[in-house]
Amino acid sequence: MPSCSWGVPLSPLQSKFAASFVATTLLVVIFFFIAYPRTAYSYSDFEFAFDSFGGEVGGVFPRENEIVRGLGNNVPGSYNLEPGQINYWVLEPSQLFIDDDDSSGAKRRSEEGPMGELRKRQDDDNGGQDRSRTVYLTFNTCLQPQRNNTGDAANDDGDNDGSVPKLRQLELYLSNSSSNQAPGPGVLDRPQTSIPVVLGYANITFNTSGSVWVGVYAPEVGDKTQWGGIWNYELVLSTKKQYHGYVDDQFLYLVDSDNEAALLITGNMTAASAIDGGVNEEFEGDELMKRPPPYLMYAQNRGVSSRFQGLERSYCAVTKLAQVRSGSLDVSMTRRGLGNLPKQQFHLKELNRSSSYFGYLARPNSTSPSDTSGTLWRAMRINTKKDGNCQIIYNLPFCSEVAYAVPSNPTLFNMNNLTNFYDDIAQSWYKNFSYSLQQIQCNASRSAQYSPARDCADCDAAYKNWLCAVTIPRCMDYSSKLPYLAERAVGELFYNASSKKNQTHPFNTTDVVPLLEDGNMTHTEFSRNARIDQVIRPGPYKEVKPCIDLCWTLVQSCSSNLGFQCPRSESWGMLQSYGTRDMRGDVTCSFLGAVYFLSSAERRWNWVSGGWGWIWGLGMAAWFAWTGL
């Protein structure tokens, strides 16, 4: 009979179970790392040791009248550079060990007594060589020369056309050897390292015990008739933390857009936000909701030449040069959406119709105007609608989880009136439902209730969730070609129709009768809610249909006496009225709290979090099988 290593015999059944358990556990662990590879928050630091330096081969530049500027610890050094020029900076030991000489350091040495003072004198006698500090160097390019033909727009990658070569990045060189106090591109025989500057951002973390020299070089621009202006940059060496940060991850998500605005939201803001790409919050819950929103947002029209093109990772450049700034934003905190946890939302206004933008999330390290430090996140894309009869509404009093564009008529309704119109309809219909729910024995004992798993509170929540999604349609352009959309109010006129004929969209100069796609089973001549056509009169639009699982949850949560039913899958009624979710995160059906490509990431994390429960359960099962209990 098989036995384990410590001599306990195994039955054939236990042997088979042990083999299956080991294989299953390995699969769970492997899937964990595949499904959620990011296990720590990182600013993508370059970390180097100064044991060896490689000389950089480059062009020779003049070194006449060199000036070395002193840097303070955690104090930005900023300067202008002409093409072909170089600046030198030095961080002296007096700044490197400045924390040892402050009042707290003196207090610590006093508490240590004579031995602490002896160590201090020995360090001073050795020039600080027995001490070392971790130094965080960060660099931002804040300004750069501009092309003289600034009217060129960006292409799909955010780059200008190829008729003029791209502008090179500033070059950054570092030395901690007294034999090279002027690091730069012309140094061939002395130790130094070249720090890569990527899209206006560079950083390096290292340990040192003496002076550190930095060279910042501005490359030549080639044909100077094609470029004008100078470079400006910000360089910081700190023993405390990174002064500038860049996160190559997404923490800002699109909720929805209309033809002149967009609604965006951050991920959940918690003490563990870093694992999802954000910043770990010092305060949580209601305390965080009371505080001023910490994030900022900026945007740049992709069709307009950008002054910070090529500097998209520079906090300094984006916050100073972005086209859309804080004055065009309504910023607030909300708990809407996944987890009912605090999030920050941005209502971005004054956008152009049928345009594409880059959105940038930023977070300053403090609220002081003199503090230029902060963190920037990877850009995300925002596309505005073009037909003009969809408008964003959010912060509804009753349907508080609704936040998306709805059918509208800008000639009759502003945002507040439109919000009240839809919310009042949903609330009035909910009132009728509440009367019916009162007929159900909600206060009966568990054994006498209609379901051992659900109660009237579940039914009430499911009905409200379903009602708001169905009563308040999520609107898309009638001209959109997305396959999961349903055509609504096809027989109606657009709000600005100039004749009795229909238009392909409101901004067409020629009125034409729209052609329905062959075999389209999801078009109707009217809106789902007749009052939309009677009162708002938006004209034709397309709807993101409510998710079918909202109906399923309603039927499962409520008593059969209420008579709720859902259409069969793939039936005509199903195709007309409901859609299905996309597990990748696209909003292919409407549900409350929907955010583009945020839900899938959260579901992935929730599965992985639950995965530890699976492992624990497998372990317990193995124990019982092993012991025969």
Side-chain angles (χ1 to χ4, degrees):
M1 178 179 294
S3 64
C4 61
S5 59
W6 54 87
V8 179
L10 295 177
S11 67
L13 180 61
Q14 288 175 328
S15 299
K16 292 180 180 179
F17 176 81
S20 299
F21 170 73
V22 171
T24 303
T25 302
L26 287 174
L27 286 174
V28 170
V29 173
I30 291 171
F31 189 80
F32 171 82
F33 287 105
I34 293 175
Y36 204 80
R38 180 177 57 207
T39 56
Y41 183 59
S42 172
Y43 285 99
S44 300
D45 293 345
F46 292 98
E47 294 193 5
F48 293 92
F50 279 91
D51 295 331
S52 62
F53 286 84
E56 293 291 321
V57 179
V60 178
F61 56 91
R63 295 177 178 273
E64 298 176 0
N65 301 320
E66 294 173 351
I67 299 175
V68 180
R69 297 172 176 85
L71 277 171
N73 193 328
N74 202 47
V75 178
S78 181
Y79 213 75
N80 295 334
L81 273 179
E82 297 279 354
Q85 289 185 341
I86 190 167
N87 289 158
Y88 297 109
W89 300 87
V90 62
L91 181 71
E92 299 284 4
S94 60
Q95 289 294 318
L96 184 66
F97 300 105
I98 192 170
D99 291 339
D100 289 359
D101 299 324
D102 60 14
S103 58
S104 61
K107 180 180 179 181
R108 183 176 65 252
R109 289 191 298 273
S110 174
E111 293 173 350
E112 291 174 348
M115 292 303 296
E117 185 61 30
L118 176 60
R119 281 194 295 270
K120 172 64 170 59
R121 288 198 301 270
Q122 290 174 340
D123 287 341
D124 292 341
D125 293 340
N126 294 331
Q129 295 301 313
D130 292 340
R131 298 181 290 172
S132 67
R133 287 289 179 271
T134 298
V135 177
Y136 305 94
L137 182 154
T138 58
F139 178 86
N140 271 190
T141 305
C142 303
L143 189 67
Q144 64 183 357
Q146 299 295 307
R147 291 175 57 182
N148 290 328
N149 52 338
T150 56
D152 293 333
N155 62 24
D156 288 341
D157 297 323
D159 298 328
N160 287 327
D161 61 45
S163 60
V164 177
K166 292 182 180 179
L167 193 65
R168 290 167 56 188
Q169 299 283 323
L170 289 176
E171 298 177 12
L172 196 60
Y173 299 88
L174 185 64
S175 167
N176 72 336
S177 172
S178 58
S179 65
N180 184 11
Q181 300 184 18
V187 177
L188 304 177
D189 56 352
R190 283 167 287 176
Q192 67 176 24
T193 192
S194 174
I195 306 170
V197 179
V198 180
L199 297 177
Y201 173 73
N203 69 331
I204 182 173
T205 303
F206 58 92
N207 291 324
T208 188
S209 58
S211 298
V212 179
W213 291 270
V214 180
V216 183
Y217 174 66
E220 296 287 357
V221 295
D223 187 354
K224 294 185 178 181
T225 63
Q226 295 180 328
W227 300 92
I230 60 173
W231 274 279
N232 178 267
Y233 63 86
E234 203 168 62
L235 170 69
V236 180
L237 276 72
S238 173
T239 58
K240 299 177 181 178
K241 62 179 181 179
Q242 286 191 337
Y243 192 86
H244 311 97
Y246 174 75
V247 182
D248 191 16
D249 203 347
Q250 185 173 352
F251 197 61
L252 179 67
Y253 299 90
L254 177 66
V255 177
D256 206 355
S257 68
D258 55 37
N259 66 308
E260 60 181 18
L263 186 65
L264 301 102
I265 200 168
T266 66
N268 288 332
M269 297 169 59
T270 68
S273 295
I275 200 168
D276 290 320
V279 173
N280 291 338
E281 301 294 339
E282 181 181 359
F283 302 95
E284 292 189 275
D286 292 339
E287 180 64 26
L288 180 59
M289 295 291 292
K290 297 175 185 176
R291 293 180 171 270
Y295 288 97
L296 302 175
M297 186 192 164
Y298 302 86
Q300 179 70 33
N301 191 325
R302 295 175 60 202
V304 177
S305 180
S306 167
R307 295 179 62 196
F308 61 92
Q309 185 177 349
L311 307 179
E312 288 85 0
R313 295 188 178 186
S314 168
Y315 176 88
C316 175
V318 171
T319 57
K320 290 182 178 180
L321 303 177
Q323 178 189 25
V324 181
R325 305 172 63 79
S326 56
S328 302
L329 293 164
D330 289 335
V331 182
S332 58
M333 297 293 293
T334 181
R335 286 181 176 270
R336 186 183 63 248
L338 289 169
N340 194 33
L341 294 169
K343 307 169 188 67
Q344 187 172 333
Q345 65 181 357
F346 304 88
H347 188 202
L348 187 60
K349 301 179 294 184
E350 301 178 10
L351 303 181
N352 294 339
R353 177 176 64 89
S354 189
S355 297
S356 182
Y357 289 80
F358 284 117
Y360 298 88
L361 183 68
R363 180 161 176 157
N365 289 340
S366 76
T367 58
S368 172
S370 61
D371 189 348
T372 58
S373 64
T375 301
L376 184 70
W377 275 257
R378 184 177 65 207
M380 48 87 66
R381 293 189 179 185
I382 305 166
N383 295 317
T384 57
K385 294 181 172 65
K386 65 180 181 180
D387 288 359
N389 58 347
C390 297
Q391 184 174 356
I392 289 174
I393 60 173
Y394 64 104
N395 289 349
L396 281 67
F398 178 71
C399 290
S400 56
E401 292 291 309
V402 166
Y404 45 77
V406 297
S408 67
N409 184 335
T411 65
L412 298 177
F413 285 82
N414 59 29
M415 181 179 175
N416 289 335
N417 293 336
L418 195 66
T419 298
N420 293 333
F421 171 82
Y422 282 106
D423 203 48
D424 290 346
I425 291 178
Q427 191 166 16
S428 65
W429 288 3
Y430 172 82
K431 186 176 181 180
N432 295 331
F433 162 77
S434 65
Y435 295 148
S436 300
L437 189 61
Q438 292 174 8
Q439 309 304 315
I440 306 299
Q441 294 184 355
C442 295
N443 296 323
S445 63
R446 176 64 68 177
S447 59
Q449 289 184 6
Y450 63 86
S451 170
R454 308 290 176 92
D455 56 24
C456 289
D458 297 318
C459 177
D460 181 83
Y463 180 80
K464 181 179 178 181
N465 201 24
W466 171 85
L467 174 67
C468 292
V470 171
T471 307
I472 308 177
R474 185 166 185 143
C475 178
M476 294 286 282
D477 285 331
Y478 185 74
S479 54
S480 174
K481 301 298 183 182
L482 294 174
Y484 50 82
L485 301 178
E487 298 172 345
R488 302 299 189 211
V490 176
E492 301 295 320
L493 297 176
F494 276 109
Y495 63 88
N496 66 342
S498 57
S499 71
K500 295 300 183 181
K501 295 181 180 179
N502 288 320
Q503 301 162 281
T504 54
H505 65 79
F507 300 99
N508 259 16
T509 56
T510 303
D511 293 341
V512 296
V513 177
L515 298 176
L516 299 178
E517 298 178 5
D518 294 338
N520 190 334
M521 299 180 61
T522 62
H523 73 270
T524 59
E525 294 187 359
F526 309 101
S527 295
R528 184 191 297 268
N529 181 350
R531 292 189 62 186
I532 295 176
D533 299 331
Q534 296 166 0
V535 179
I536 297 179
R537 304 198 299 274
Y541 62 93
K542 289 187 178 179
E543 178 188 0
V544 182
K545 295 175 289 184
C547 297
I548 183 62
D549 56 89
L550 300 180
C551 185
W552 294 339
T553 302
L554 175 63
V555 172
Q556 293 167 359
S557 301
C558 294
S559 170
S560 59
N561 293 335
L562 294 174
F564 292 125
Q565 291 183 342
C566 298
R568 290 180 291 104
S569 296
E570 304 304 322
S571 66
W572 183 87
M574 161 73 178
L575 296 176
Q576 275 278 347
S577 303
Y578 294 100
T580 56
R581 302 200 190 212
D582 176 60
M583 299 306 292
R584 297 168 299 177
D586 196 5
V587 181
T588 55
C589 66
S590 181
F591 60 96
L592 303 191
V595 176
Y596 283 94
F597 301 106
L598 172 62
S599 303
S600 61
E602 292 290 341
R603 282 196 297 270
R604 179 179 64 178
W605 170 241
N606 290 338
W607 185 94
V608 173
S609 298
W612 292 112
W614 291 15
I615 295 174
W616 181 87
L618 286 171
M620 292 301 296
W623 170 256
F624 285 123
W626 193 278
T627 58
L629 296 178

